[in-house]
């Protein structure tokens, strides 16, 4: 029984570590290395409306979590017992790990976001969704800067 408790604990720690590695700072003030030294168009405007949303990337991370969990669970399960018992434990560990990996990935893939409706200085109204940043709370009437690069944009206070 102790072997199974240890197996579950190790599996949980492995999956928690995997989930923690997938989320760099996603806020409007975070830039990936590929975004540095690129030209962005800058627009100025005023926030008309702020609406909370949920950003759901779980469908993208779920397959990775399931596969990683199954692999980790299968490897750890194969260490339990010997002979056919080891085979059964490996299959069970793989199934349990796949399920746990899927659950961890689903929870890690959902984040709080904000849908910002912005009236630009030229009168055009746009809407941008980005991850919510507790240090960057937007309010209606607030002046903002919209940085656009290709099809992506981010909103920052002005």
């Amino acid at each position: 029984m102790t072997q199974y408790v240890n197996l579950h604990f190790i599996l949980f720690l492995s999956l928690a570590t995997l989930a923690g590695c997938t989320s760099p700072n996603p806020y409007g003030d975070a830039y990936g290395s590929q975004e540095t030294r690129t030209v962005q168009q800058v627009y100025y405007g005023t926030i008309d409306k702020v609406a909370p949303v949920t950003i759901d990337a779980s469908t993208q991370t779920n397959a990775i979590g399931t596969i990683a969990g199954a692999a980790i669970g299968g490897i750890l399960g194969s260490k339990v017992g010997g002979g056919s018992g080891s085979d059964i434990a490996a299959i069970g560990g793989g199934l349990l790990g796949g399920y746990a990996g899927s659950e961890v990935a689903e929870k890690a893939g959902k984040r709080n976001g904000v849908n910002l409706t912005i009236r630009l200085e030229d009168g055009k109204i746009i809407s941008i969704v980005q991850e919510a940043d507790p240090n960057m709370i937007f309010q209606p009437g607030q002046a903002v800067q919209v940085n656009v690069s290709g099809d992506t944009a981010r909103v920052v206070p002005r």
Side-chain angles (χ1 to χ4, degrees):
M1 183 65 172
T2 302
Q3 290 176 335
Y4 292 112
V5 171
N6 288 340
L7 173 67
H8 290 122
F9 181 70
I10 291 170
L11 179 62
F12 172 76
L13 285 179
S14 299
L15 292 172
T17 301
L18 176 68
C21 294
T22 61
S23 182
N25 181 353
Y27 303 130
D29 64 345
Y31 291 84
S33 60
Q34 72 280 4
E35 295 175 288
T36 60
R37 300 182 65 177
T38 61
V39 175
Q40 297 182 353
Q41 291 188 340
V42 177
Y43 301 94
Y44 296 108
T46 305
I47 299 284
D48 273 356
K49 181 179 174 189
V50 178
V53 297
T54 299
I55 298 171
D56 186 358
S58 62
T59 55
Q60 297 165 355
T61 59
N62 205 317
I64 295 169
T66 301
I67 292 168
I72 294 168
I75 291 167
L76 294 175
S78 69
K79 305 295 183 200
V80 175
S84 63
S86 177
D87 295 342
I88 292 169
I91 292 168
L95 292 172
L96 178 63
Y99 173 76
S102 174
E103 291 296 307
V104 168
E106 183 176 337
K107 286 179 180 54
K110 292 186 179 180
R111 300 180 308 271
N112 292 326
V114 61
N115 184 351
L116 302 167
T117 303
I118 302 162
R119 181 177 305 274
L120 298 176
E121 288 181 335
D122 66 2
K124 189 183 300 183
I125 297 175
I126 62 170
S127 177
I128 298 173
V129 174
Q130 67 186 32
E131 187 149 343
D133 181 349
N135 297 317
M136 193 184 314
I137 304 297
F138 294 100
Q139 302 292 328
Q142 179 179 2
V144 293
Q145 176 177 316
V146 181
N147 300 327
V148 179
S149 179
D151 292 337
T152 63
R154 70 181 73 234
V155 181
V156 294
R158 191 164 165 191

